[in-house]
Amino acid sequence: MRLLISFAALFLSVVLLQMSSGGLGPLDALSGLQLEFSTAQVGLLGSAHFVGFFVGCWWAPRLMGSVGHSRAFAAFTAAGAIGLLAHMLVVDPIAWALMRVASGACIAGCYTVVESWLQAKVTNETRGRAMGAYRVVDLGGSLAAQLMIGVLEPASYVSYNLLALLCCASLLPLTLTRLKQPEIPTAPRLRPALAWRLSPLAVMGVLVAGLTGAAFRMVGPIYGQEVGLEVGQIAWFLASFVLGGALAQIPTGWLADKYDRRWVLIWLSVAAILASAVTIGASAQGTLSVMLSAGLFGFVTVPIYSVATAHAHDFAGSDERVELSAALLLFFALGAIAAPLAASSLIEAYGPRALFLFVGAGHVALIVFGLLRMRRRPTATERTPYIYAPRTSFLIGRLMKRLREGGED
């Protein structure tokens, strides 16, 4: 309890930040459609977010080295708030895409600050409990953000102003905390070749995970509107996806620790293809069927990133884990940058079911690649524990390193 209280300010900042940034994606999609943006232009906004995310991950450690943690957090938060408030002042898809770059940089930069602070304060004895609480807080904030869409009116200054207020409010707990600022972290080197050398299958897995998650979360509101969901129902549609992913972590972790992780990845992709087909079919079966299908889709797709990263770490040495985590997050971001624009363009050309046909094609590629890789080399003889791996910043690898090595329960 003392541990959780000591991190209360950081966790409150995370919740407020997640509610602000997590609500922006679906709100932008619905607002863009109401303002008669094309479907492809709405997808561009989602892709722009992940461009900003990558910039924020890369820049944040360097900015912290120049101005310190609190000032860096304030700078990134200000960028996010400006992007939010400017939406209804300049109604143009290209301008909105630039604003989404700012919001993506905000979320990545702020998470980097928070995770740097956590890394400096946890001990080997408290790391497992602290990270468990951090995951719950992050998922809880994400779930609340999706539900907020039901009460935010699209293309309304009031809606964007409310998200900006939440973004600004995230400043207060962290900047007023009495916790001593930690030492400035060194930025991990980005070594994509390291990830490919250790596990090409893991690289493919995180690419497909980025493609799947970004396509659904950024373009899902377009799909929901196309199949007849109201705004409040779209909120529950997105929340069902997040909840399904959260519920999947325990059973998937058990499977990934008990069986060959390559087979777990392959069967998750098989399940993702089936879930995509179920979701397409559920669109004609009523609202409840659509919600349940979204939960099923989240259940089988969200854990793919964590299984892929666990498989990669099975082949990594202790001194490679941090840079490997950063490299895998880079590949995830690349998949996430491409997915919203591609998926929205396909929806515009072929209708709403094209979203899940696009996702299904990605998982077919992962299945084929996985089967080919299984013929090239055996699986690792010694395996790291499966853990839920957040996709938040390049520094997350430092927080996860001891957990992967079995340093504590």
Side-chain angles (χ1 to χ4, degrees):
M1 184 59 68
R2 287 195 301 270
L3 173 72
L4 296 180
I5 291 173
S6 70
F7 288 137
L10 298 181
F11 289 164
L12 182 55
S13 286
V14 168
V15 170
L16 293 170
L17 183 69
Q18 184 65 271
M19 291 176 66
S20 172
S21 62
L24 178 59
L27 179 61
D28 260 4
L30 296 172
S31 298
L33 292 176
Q34 185 165 309
L35 294 169
E36 299 184 349
F37 292 0
S38 70
T39 305
Q41 288 171 334
V42 173
L44 174 64
L45 304 181
S47 293
H49 170 86
F50 286 101
V51 171
F53 173 84
F54 175 77
V55 171
C57 283
W58 175 83
W59 187 33
R62 294 156 180 82
L63 185 61
M64 284 190 290
S66 300
V67 301
H69 287 70
S70 294
R71 287 182 179 179
F73 190 91
F76 282 115
T77 304
I82 290 170
L84 285 163
L85 291 171
H87 269 71
M88 298 313 297
L89 298 178
V90 184
V91 181
D92 177 80
I94 302 301
W96 279 28
L98 294 176
M99 297 170 199
R100 288 301 298 277
V101 172
S103 69
C106 168
I107 187 70
C110 289
Y111 267 111
T112 302
V113 173
V114 169
E115 289 169 1
S116 170
W117 219 314
L118 284 173
Q119 165 66 22
K121 298 302 178 183
V122 297
T123 65
N124 289 340
E125 292 72 26
T126 62
R127 189 183 305 266
R129 284 167 287 168
M131 287 308 300
Y134 180 53
R135 294 170 200 143
V136 171
V137 166
D138 183 54
L139 285 170
S142 179
L143 186 61
Q146 310 311 311
L147 295 176
M148 283 177 58
I149 299 305
V151 298
L152 295 177
E153 182 182 351
S156 165
Y157 175 76
V158 173
S159 297
Y160 285 101
N161 191 55
L162 177 59
L163 294 182
L165 288 173
L166 289 170
C167 185
C168 292
S170 69
L171 269 168
L172 298 176
L174 189 139
T175 54
L176 295 178
T177 181
R178 294 183 178 181
L179 286 176
K180 182 181 177 181
Q181 293 195 46
E183 296 295 323
I184 304 301
T186 56
R189 288 186 300 165
L190 286 179
R191 298 172 59 194
L194 172 66
W196 183 261
R197 175 173 61 81
L198 292 175
S199 177
L201 178 57
V203 170
M204 186 66 175
V206 298
L207 277 169
V208 173
L211 177 151
T212 302
F216 187 91
R217 298 186 71 168
M218 298 298 174
V219 187
I222 300 177
Y223 175 85
Q225 189 169 81
E226 291 281 345
V227 300
L229 297 181
E230 299 177 357
V231 173
Q233 294 170 331
I234 290 173
W236 283 103
F237 177 68
L238 297 173
S240 297
F241 170 81
V242 174
L243 183 59
L247 294 176
Q249 297 303 323
I250 292 177
T252 304
W254 181 82
L255 290 171
D257 284 340
K258 186 174 179 62
Y259 299 104
D260 188 334
R261 285 172 178 165
R262 298 171 300 179
W263 279 117
V264 175
L265 268 178
I266 289 170
W267 283 110
L268 281 174
S269 278
V270 171
I273 295 169
L274 295 175
S276 297
V278 168
T279 306
I280 292 173
S283 62
Q285 304 301 318
T287 302
L288 179 60
S289 296
V290 173
M291 302 301 172
L292 293 175
S293 67
L296 174 64
F297 186 76
F299 190 91
V300 298
T301 59
V302 170
I304 287 176
Y305 181 85
S306 295
V307 175
T309 57
H311 178 64
H313 280 277
D314 289 344
F315 300 96
S318 177
D319 59 337
E320 296 175 315
R321 297 202 186 282
V322 174
E323 291 179 349
L324 174 59
S325 295
L328 291 172
L329 188 56
L330 167 63
F331 282 111
F332 173 86
L334 292 177
I337 288 170
L341 183 57
S344 60
S345 298
L346 289 170
I347 288 177
E348 191 169 47
Y350 302 106
R353 67 175 58 190
L355 169 62
F356 291 99
L357 294 176
F358 171 70
V359 169
H363 286 280
V364 169
L366 180 56
I367 291 170
V368 172
F369 191 74
L371 292 173
L372 291 174
R373 289 301 305 171
M374 290 182 73
R375 299 180 62 182
R376 295 292 300 272
R377 74 173 178 185
T379 191
T381 55
E382 296 184 5
R383 297 194 291 176
T384 60
Y386 172 91
I387 57 174
Y388 164 61
R391 282 90 63 189
T392 48
S393 83
F394 288 162
L395 296 187
I396 193 66
R398 289 205 176 103
L399 284 165
M400 296 295 182
K401 179 181 176 183
R402 300 286 295 187
L403 298 180
R404 291 196 185 280
E405 294 174 350
E408 62 264 36
D409 296 328

